[in-house]
Structures are given as structure tokens and as C-alpha cells.
């Protein structure tokens, strides 16, 4: 049985997963970064702890820590049950089992939750949604977005993807989107049309292999750069 989500779920990955998903170097980590659709991932938390704070954007940041913990708990049963039914769609090297996956993800999301209220006050967690983000043009050097665009191709149409990617390029110089396959590891029907439109607008696009390999076909990101 395939993965099926009624809508985009709040579910977050760890700092180490972010490093590999976006192939981030130490030089990249020193750049002015925004993560769009970061949800309950612990990337922002760890960047803050390292002394190089970043900004994360997500509509779930309108909720309180308690409400977010409840939403994560509600999501947990569904995501883990679907992962068990779809074990064959993943490469089990980074994680040895669904149980270990669940443990690592819940630890990352707990780190995020403990950081959330203070981070929100500090302006590190901003409640906003694509395709309209509350930042001036070219405000960031590096824009990261994981497990939202292309991943939820069954839940958002081509028009949304085009508007969203153009908005990411409006606020930043370089945009990295991971993965470029959907929740079932199928190629997104929107990747080629998005790249075509961007290239016509003079944006440089490349599909790059990354060290992160969990979904069987999910070890590539799209890099789009304003030139
Ligand atoms: C599956 S989570 C991924 C979280 C994190 N990026 C990661 O890879 O672990 C997808 C996130 O996208 C957020 N989201 C949904 N619609 C959005 C939109 N229009 N703009 C920004 N974020 C959105 C959801 O609230 C959710 O937290």
C-alpha cells in the first residue's frame, strides 16, 4: 500500500539529516540561511546552539508548544504505521529499523519543541506560508526547503509549485529543495515544468546528488540560483 496523506503533515528531521539532505558544508552553515517549511525539525535549534542562528518559516508556528506536541503525537501514529507498510521503499542503512527511525525523529522533534517558545520570541520561528513570505527581496543568501515542494505533489498543484519556487528565489540568492521525488519515491510531475519556467527566467538550475539516501530514489536535490 502506498503512502497517502490527506494534507502536509508536521514532522521533523534532525540536524544531521539536514546536513546530508542539502549537502551543507561548514561554509554553507556560515551563510545567511532561511528554512521554509522547517516544521518541527531540529535544524534551527542546533544552529542556534552553535551560535549561528537562522530563520525558519512554517504555518504551524502559529501554535503553542503544547499544541505542537499534540499535533506531532497525532501525526506519529499515522506516519510510523505507513512507514511500516512501506519499508521496501527505503534504504535501511542510516536507520536500521522503523523503531530506530521513530526514536531519532521523536528526539529531534522534542529538541525543537523545547526551543520553540524562546526561538519564536527571538524571531527564529516565523508563522508564514508559501507562496507569500514576509521578507524583502534577496534577504537571504541560502534558502532551504525539505519535504514540502515536490514531496507533496499529490496535495499541491503545479501552479502552487511555480509560485512557491519563484517566491523562494525572490527572497534568496540560492535555493535548495530536497527531495525531488514524492512521498512514494516517484518522480514529481512538477520538476521538469518548474525547471523549464525558471530557466526561461534566467535562473540557473541543477539536480545534484546528496549524501542523504533514505527514500530509494530520494538522494537528489534541486539547486536554483539567481545569477
Ligand atoms: C513534512 S514537514 C517537513 C519538515 C522539515 N522540513 C523536514 O524535512 O523535516 C512539512 C512542513 O511543511 C509545512 N508547510 C505546509 N504548507 C506550507 C506552506 N504553504 N508554506 C510553508 N510551509 C508549509 C508544514 O506545516 C510542515 O511543517
Amino acid at each position: 500500500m502506498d503512502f497517502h496523506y490527506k494534507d502536509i503533515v508536521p514532522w521533523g528531521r534532525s540536524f544531521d539529516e539536514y546536513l546530508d539532505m542539502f549537502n551543507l558544508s561548514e561554509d554553507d552553515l556560515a551563510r545567511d540561511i532561511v528554512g521554509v517549511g522547517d516544521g518541527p525539525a531540529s535544524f534551527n535549534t542546533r544552529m542556534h546552539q552553535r551560535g549561528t542562528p537562522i530563520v525558519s518559516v512554517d504555518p504551524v508556528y502559529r501554535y503553542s508548544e503544547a499544541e505542537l506536541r499534540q499535533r506531532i503525537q497525532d501525526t506519529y501514529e499515522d506516519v510510523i504505521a505507513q512507514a511500516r507498510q512501506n519499508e521496501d521503499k527505503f534504504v535501511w542503512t542510516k536507520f536500521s529499523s522503523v523503531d530506530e527511525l521513530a526514536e531519532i525523529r521523536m528526539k529531534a522533534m522534542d529538541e525543537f519543541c523545547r526551543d520553540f517558545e524562546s526561538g519564536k520570541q527571538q524571531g527564529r520561528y516565523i508563522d508564514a506560508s508559501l507562496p507569500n513570505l514576509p521578507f524583502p527581496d534577496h534577504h537571504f543568501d541560502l534558502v532551504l526547503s525539505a519535504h514540502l515542494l515536490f514531496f507533496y505533489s499529490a496535495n499541491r498543484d503545479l501552479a502552487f509549485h511555480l509560485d512557491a519556487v519563484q517566491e523562494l528565489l525572490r527572497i534568496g540568492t540560492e535555493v535548495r529543495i530536497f527531495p525531488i521525488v514524492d512521498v512514494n519515491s516517484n518522480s514529481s510531475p512538477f520538476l521538469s515544468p518548474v525547471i523549464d519556467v525558471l530557466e526561461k527566467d534566467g535562473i540557473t538550475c541543477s539536480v545534484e546528488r546528496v549524501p542523504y539516501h533514505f527514500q530509494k530514489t530520494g538522494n537528489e536535490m534541486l539547486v536554483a540560483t539567481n545569477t
Side-chain angles (χ1 to χ4, degrees), residues 10-22:
W11 192 244
R13 287 155 189 83
S14 69
F15 177 76
D16 289 344
E17 290 185 272
Y18 260 64
L19 294 185
D20 285 352
M21 290 182 321
F22 294 112

Side-chain angles (χ1 to χ4, degrees), residues 34 36 57 128-136 143 164 167-168 170-171:
V34 61
V36 178
V57 176
S129 302
L130 284 169
N132 299 303
L133 301 179
F135 306 109
V143 182
E167 179 68 347
L168 298 178
R170 181 189 68 75
I171 64 164

Side-chain angles (χ1 to χ4, degrees), residues 8-9 11-13 18 37-39 58-60 129-130 146-148 152:
I8 300 168
V9 296
W11 192 244
R13 287 155 189 83
Y18 260 64
D38 272 349
D58 199 296
V60 294
S129 302
L130 284 169
H147 300 102
L148 170 57
Y152 285 97

Side-chain angles (χ1 to χ4, degrees), residues 171-183:
I171 64 164
T173 308
E174 180 184 331
V175 173
R176 298 184 190 181
I177 300 172
F178 176 88
I180 53 173
V181 295
D182 70 11
V183 291

Side-chain angles (χ1 to χ4, degrees), residues 18 28-29 31-35 38 43-48 51-56 119 122-125 140 144:
Y18 260 64
D28 287 329
L29 295 179
R31 295 167 75 180
D32 200 1
I33 298 177
V34 61
D38 272 349
F43 183 64
N44 188 313
T45 308
R46 289 289 185 95
M47 288 297 281
H48 175 62
T52 50
I54 63 151
V55 171
S56 293
Q122 292 161 3
R124 288 188 287 114
Y125 295 115
F140 298 97
L144 306 176

Side-chain angles (χ1 to χ4, degrees), residues 116-130:
F116 177 65
E117 297 292 358
S118 62
K120 199 170 170 177
Q121 280 181 2
Q122 292 161 3
R124 288 188 287 114
Y125 295 115
I126 295 181
D127 164 22
S129 302
L130 284 169

